[in-house]
Amino acid sequence: MAALTLFAQRRFRKTDARLDDRGQALMFLRYPDARPGSLSTIWQMGIADPAPGRIDFQPAIYEDLVHIGRMKALTGLTAFSAPRYADRDDNRHNVPPGFQVVSAESDGGSIEIAARPQTLRRIRETVESAAS
């Protein structure tokens, strides 16, 4: 189990480094208040392109980040919660161990974002820079 966790973390670090060069980040997104059976309990992996006051999120699959679906603009982001580490339930839904989770309010309702701690910090700083 430890070997699989180490392998997954190494894979995500490499992907994160590639995206960081382009100002993007690997993150997982979920809508906790959505209707049951939709994305209320399922985390969706994708590429985040943070900007002041918003995150453009492109759903993707696999470590090669093959794009699926349409890009979503997460706007009106406010009230980020304190980060917590992903728990067993999050890990069961493909959020890697060691990732942190924050909640936020958006124009579309409540969202939760999971990412590596330094990535999450960078996303928050970029999004919150709109208030300055």
Side-chain angles (χ1 to χ4, degrees), residues 1-74:
M1 183 66 141
L4 289 174
T5 300
L6 180 63
F7 178 72
Q9 287 178 346
R10 183 181 306 154
R11 201 175 64 211
F12 282 114
R13 276 195 299 269
K14 286 181 182 180
T15 300
D16 226 14
R18 278 194 339 241
L19 291 172
D20 193 37
D21 291 341
R22 296 184 282 187
Q24 298 174 323
L26 174 69
M27 81 174 209
F28 289 77
L29 175 68
R30 124 184 146 101
Y31 300 92
D33 296 334
R35 288 180 290 135
S38 60
L39 289 179
S40 66
T41 58
I42 299 170
W43 288 94
Q44 188 173 33
M45 183 173 71
I47 302 167
D49 195 357
R54 70 183 289 142
I55 298 173
D56 292 321
F57 180 76
Q58 174 65 57
I61 56 172
Y62 309 120
E63 65 273 359
D64 295 332
L65 299 176
V66 176
H67 295 186
I68 59 169
R70 294 176 16 190
M71 185 174 290
K72 301 170 188 163
L74 306 170

Side-chain angles (χ1 to χ4, degrees), residues 59-104:
I61 56 172
Y62 309 120
E63 65 273 359
D64 295 332
L65 299 176
V66 176
H67 295 186
I68 59 169
R70 294 176 16 190
M71 185 174 290
K72 301 170 188 163
L74 306 170
T75 58
L77 297 172
T78 59
F80 281 96
S81 69
R84 68 170 174 83
Y85 278 96
D87 60 24
R88 184 180 306 166
D89 190 48
D90 299 320
N91 298 148
R92 195 170 47 125
H93 290 284
N94 297 326
V95 175
F99 274 45
Q100 287 185 336
V101 178
V102 294
S103 299

